[in-house]
Amino acid sequence: MEEFDLDRTTEVGWAAFLSRLADHLGTAREPLVMTPMGGEDDHLPVLEVTPGAGGDDALLHAELRGPGEDPWPEEARTRHLLSLGWTPAPGGTAYLLDLPRSHAHLLAAVVTDTLRDVVGVPHPAFLDAGALTIAAPTEAEPEEPAPPPQVDLDTAVMVRTPAELRELVDTTLHAALGHPPRHDHDGDVPILYGSALVYVRTADAAPVVTVFAIPVQDIGDLEAARREVEIFNRRAIFGKFTLVGRQIVASVAVPCLPFVPRHLVGMVELMGREIDQLDEDLALRVQGRRWIDLVSGTGPAGAPPTQPVVRAVDVAPPAAPEAEPPAELQTLVQLQLDAEGGDLEPALVADVCHRDRDLILRLIRMAEDQTLRWRSGVGRARAAGDADGARSAGDQVRAWARTVRNLRAALRHVVTFGGSAEG
């Protein structure tokens, strides 16, 4: 039996909560009150997010109140709140943060960080969060899934509105997959095809359905990637390949005037089959990783993941990197070493990352991934009785966590003061 990984489970739980919270804040009309479970209500901190504060529906107002309305103690938690962007209210009994609804995901990240590191909630399961509260499992009999609809793949249907097109796409995919399609937080439908993950996106501005996939991410050799994209585009008949940041994206647009189910099903199968055949070799040629490598924590073709810039002992995954970490991440790690454990100025980190939001988000994910791996290394070292190894791995956990914190502060700085939104 596979050993239960508490750290990994906790990280996955908080990541899922952050995603659900962002979706909720993007459309909520009523206040959301969050408190830790257990204890007396008047002795618990309260975090409340109120949409439409001051009559402005586009504004989200967050307020963190101390236990019993007492002032927050001047300690490390207070400094952490300030670094996250909270502002102390008069009297010091609460902290305030206002962001536009368009930045709901950023506010969700700040709230999640606050609940974890300031309030001290160990897992979202211990959080009373209204509609987002994790319900206890029940033993109710599962409902029988609805049978797939019968669809004539060759019947053309005229589309008049985006809603009609989305319904036709969902019905077609339900019939083709044998189960209702699942939509991610962007509204896309992910479909697994071998080692390929294909997405179906319905446009609102035009009667077009886009089928796309990301064969390779975290590319180390950008020059090789540009050559590969040029070669693929010379050979491609229907779709096109694009280098976006450190990702290669394959896409094809399916016109839907009229909508023909077979066109959509055929393009999904074509995209899945092609990407499933080429992604492994492509990842090796450009020194990148497939999505399945990122999920499993390996590199291309089963190679070990990218090595952290700073290593202490071999309690984390062995170092045989296929690609160096991005230069921006290496620079931040070196600056943190020079800062001797202190946090970097958000403006400095933003400049290192070219004020590129997509790049900052990608580096946050990479640093979070390294944090998880080194936490696993702490557990392995402790299980082996290696006190020095556990201590060194713990230092790495704290260093990568500081990198995540600095990058998040830089993201808030770019969102607040401006920067590039393109990857």
PDB file of all heavy atoms in Angstrom, residues 337-352:
ATOM      1  N   LEU A 337      19.739  34.642  -0.981  1.00  0.00           N
ATOM      2  CA  LEU A 337      20.945  34.292  -0.219  1.00  0.00           C
ATOM      3  C   LEU A 337      21.663  35.552   0.238  1.00  0.00           C
ATOM      4  O   LEU A 337      22.142  35.641   1.372  1.00  0.00           O
ATOM      5  CB  LEU A 337      21.868  33.427  -1.084  1.00  0.00           C
ATOM      6  CG  LEU A 337      21.373  32.019  -1.425  1.00  0.00           C
ATOM      7  CD1 LEU A 337      22.358  31.335  -2.363  1.00  0.00           C
ATOM      8  CD2 LEU A 337      21.186  31.194  -0.154  1.00  0.00           C
ATOM      9  N   ASP A 338      21.729  36.555  -0.634  1.00  0.00           N
ATOM     10  CA  ASP A 338      22.391  37.810  -0.267  1.00  0.00           C
ATOM     11  C   ASP A 338      21.620  38.542   0.821  1.00  0.00           C
ATOM     12  O   ASP A 338      22.203  39.294   1.613  1.00  0.00           O
ATOM     13  CB  ASP A 338      22.531  38.709  -1.500  1.00  0.00           C
ATOM     14  CG  ASP A 338      23.443  38.096  -2.562  1.00  0.00           C
ATOM     15  OD1 ASP A 338      24.225  37.192  -2.192  1.00  0.00           O
ATOM     16  OD2 ASP A 338      23.356  38.503  -3.731  1.00  0.00           O
ATOM     17  N   ALA A 339      20.273  38.348   0.842  1.00  0.00           N
ATOM     18  CA  ALA A 339      19.438  39.025   1.836  1.00  0.00           C
ATOM     19  C   ALA A 339      19.490  38.354   3.199  1.00  0.00           C
ATOM     20  O   ALA A 339      18.889  38.859   4.160  1.00  0.00           O
ATOM     21  CB  ALA A 339      17.985  39.085   1.347  1.00  0.00           C
ATOM     22  N   GLU A 340      20.160  37.219   3.303  1.00  0.00           N
ATOM     23  CA  GLU A 340      20.360  36.508   4.563  1.00  0.00           C
ATOM     24  C   GLU A 340      19.047  36.223   5.281  1.00  0.00           C
ATOM     25  O   GLU A 340      18.883  36.490   6.473  1.00  0.00           O
ATOM     26  CB  GLU A 340      21.298  37.304   5.488  1.00  0.00           C
ATOM     27  CG  GLU A 340      22.697  37.483   4.917  1.00  0.00           C
ATOM     28  CD  GLU A 340      23.595  38.254   5.854  1.00  0.00           C
ATOM     29  OE1 GLU A 340      23.087  38.788   6.861  1.00  0.00           O
ATOM     30  OE2 GLU A 340      24.809  38.318   5.590  1.00  0.00           O
ATOM     31  N   GLY A 341      18.088  35.678   4.503  1.00  0.00           N
ATOM     32  CA  GLY A 341      16.842  35.227   5.115  1.00  0.00           C
ATOM     33  C   GLY A 341      15.726  36.238   5.124  1.00  0.00           C
ATOM     34  O   GLY A 341      14.579  35.900   5.428  1.00  0.00           O
ATOM     35  N   GLY A 342      16.026  37.495   4.791  1.00  0.00           N
ATOM     36  CA  GLY A 342      14.963  38.500   4.777  1.00  0.00           C
ATOM     37  C   GLY A 342      14.184  38.466   3.474  1.00  0.00           C
ATOM     38  O   GLY A 342      14.636  37.918   2.465  1.00  0.00           O
ATOM     39  N   ASP A 343      12.995  39.047   3.486  1.00  0.00           N
ATOM     40  CA  ASP A 343      12.183  39.107   2.281  1.00  0.00           C
ATOM     41  C   ASP A 343      12.697  40.209   1.359  1.00  0.00           C
ATOM     42  O   ASP A 343      13.251  41.213   1.808  1.00  0.00           O
ATOM     43  CB  ASP A 343      10.716  39.387   2.634  1.00  0.00           C
ATOM     44  CG  ASP A 343      10.051  38.181   3.274  1.00  0.00           C
ATOM     45  OD1 ASP A 343      10.581  37.066   3.091  1.00  0.00           O
ATOM     46  OD2 ASP A 343       9.023  38.353   3.956  1.00  0.00           O
ATOM     47  N   LEU A 344      12.518  40.004   0.057  1.00  0.00           N
ATOM     48  CA  LEU A 344      12.948  40.966  -0.941  1.00  0.00           C
ATOM     49  C   LEU A 344      11.854  42.004  -1.181  1.00  0.00           C
ATOM     50  O   LEU A 344      10.676  41.748  -0.945  1.00  0.00           O
ATOM     51  CB  LEU A 344      13.281  40.249  -2.250  1.00  0.00           C
ATOM     52  CG  LEU A 344      14.345  39.155  -2.181  1.00  0.00           C
ATOM     53  CD1 LEU A 344      14.501  38.469  -3.533  1.00  0.00           C
ATOM     54  CD2 LEU A 344      15.687  39.716  -1.717  1.00  0.00           C
ATOM     55  N   GLU A 345      12.241  43.150  -1.673  1.00  0.00           N
ATOM     56  CA  GLU A 345      11.269  44.179  -2.022  1.00  0.00           C
ATOM     57  C   GLU A 345      10.419  43.696  -3.200  1.00  0.00           C
ATOM     58  O   GLU A 345      10.965  43.219  -4.197  1.00  0.00           O
ATOM     59  CB  GLU A 345      11.975  45.483  -2.399  1.00  0.00           C
ATOM     60  CG  GLU A 345      12.608  46.212  -1.235  1.00  0.00           C
ATOM     61  CD  GLU A 345      11.546  46.721  -0.252  1.00  0.00           C
ATOM     62  OE1 GLU A 345      10.416  47.033  -0.708  1.00  0.00           O
ATOM     63  OE2 GLU A 345      11.849  46.797   0.942  1.00  0.00           O
ATOM     64  N   PRO A 346       9.095  43.808  -3.103  1.00  0.00           N
ATOM     65  CA  PRO A 346       8.235  43.339  -4.203  1.00  0.00           C
ATOM     66  C   PRO A 346       8.591  43.983  -5.545  1.00  0.00           C
ATOM     67  O   PRO A 346       8.543  43.313  -6.581  1.00  0.00           O
ATOM     68  CB  PRO A 346       6.836  43.750  -3.741  1.00  0.00           C
ATOM     69  CG  PRO A 346       6.917  43.789  -2.250  1.00  0.00           C
ATOM     70  CD  PRO A 346       8.296  44.277  -1.951  1.00  0.00           C
ATOM     71  N   ALA A 347       8.955  45.259  -5.543  1.00  0.00           N
ATOM     72  CA  ALA A 347       9.290  45.935  -6.799  1.00  0.00           C
ATOM     73  C   ALA A 347      10.529  45.308  -7.435  1.00  0.00           C
ATOM     74  O   ALA A 347      10.615  45.176  -8.663  1.00  0.00           O
ATOM     75  CB  ALA A 347       9.498  47.425  -6.562  1.00  0.00           C
ATOM     76  N   LEU A 348      11.509  44.929  -6.606  1.00  0.00           N
ATOM     77  CA  LEU A 348      12.721  44.306  -7.121  1.00  0.00           C
ATOM     78  C   LEU A 348      12.403  42.961  -7.763  1.00  0.00           C
ATOM     79  O   LEU A 348      12.863  42.652  -8.870  1.00  0.00           O
ATOM     80  CB  LEU A 348      13.730  44.132  -5.983  1.00  0.00           C
ATOM     81  CG  LEU A 348      14.988  43.323  -6.321  1.00  0.00           C
ATOM     82  CD1 LEU A 348      15.783  44.009  -7.424  1.00  0.00           C
ATOM     83  CD2 LEU A 348      15.856  43.124  -5.072  1.00  0.00           C
ATOM     84  N   VAL A 349      11.600  42.148  -7.062  1.00  0.00           N
ATOM     85  CA  VAL A 349      11.236  40.835  -7.604  1.00  0.00           C
ATOM     86  C   VAL A 349      10.435  41.010  -8.893  1.00  0.00           C
ATOM     87  O   VAL A 349      10.633  40.275  -9.869  1.00  0.00           O
ATOM     88  CB  VAL A 349      10.420  40.032  -6.567  1.00  0.00           C
ATOM     89  CG1 VAL A 349      10.016  38.677  -7.132  1.00  0.00           C
ATOM     90  CG2 VAL A 349      11.231  39.844  -5.289  1.00  0.00           C
ATOM     91  N   ALA A 350       9.542  41.988  -8.927  1.00  0.00           N
ATOM     92  CA  ALA A 350       8.754  42.241 -10.134  1.00  0.00           C
ATOM     93  C   ALA A 350       9.659  42.605 -11.305  1.00  0.00           C
ATOM     94  O   ALA A 350       9.447  42.157 -12.437  1.00  0.00           O
ATOM     95  CB  ALA A 350       7.734  43.344  -9.870  1.00  0.00           C
ATOM     96  N   ASP A 351      10.693  43.427 -11.057  1.00  0.00           N
ATOM     97  CA  ASP A 351      11.613  43.818 -12.121  1.00  0.00           C
ATOM     98  C   ASP A 351      12.408  42.611 -12.620  1.00  0.00           C
ATOM     99  O   ASP A 351      12.650  42.473 -13.828  1.00  0.00           O
ATOM    100  CB  ASP A 351      12.562  44.910 -11.632  1.00  0.00           C
ATOM    101  CG  ASP A 351      11.860  46.249 -11.467  1.00  0.00           C
ATOM    102  OD1 ASP A 351      10.789  46.427 -12.076  1.00  0.00           O
ATOM    103  OD2 ASP A 351      12.369  47.099 -10.705  1.00  0.00           O
ATOM    104  N   VAL A 352      12.840  41.743 -11.707  1.00  0.00           N
ATOM    105  CA  VAL A 352      13.573  40.540 -12.118  1.00  0.00           C
ATOM    106  C   VAL A 352      12.711  39.691 -13.047  1.00  0.00           C
ATOM    107  O   VAL A 352      13.203  39.079 -13.999  1.00  0.00           O
ATOM    108  CB  VAL A 352      14.003  39.730 -10.874  1.00  0.00           C
ATOM    109  CG1 VAL A 352      14.543  38.364 -11.280  1.00  0.00           C
ATOM    110  CG2 VAL A 352      15.062  40.494 -10.089  1.00  0.00           C
TER     111      VAL A 352
END
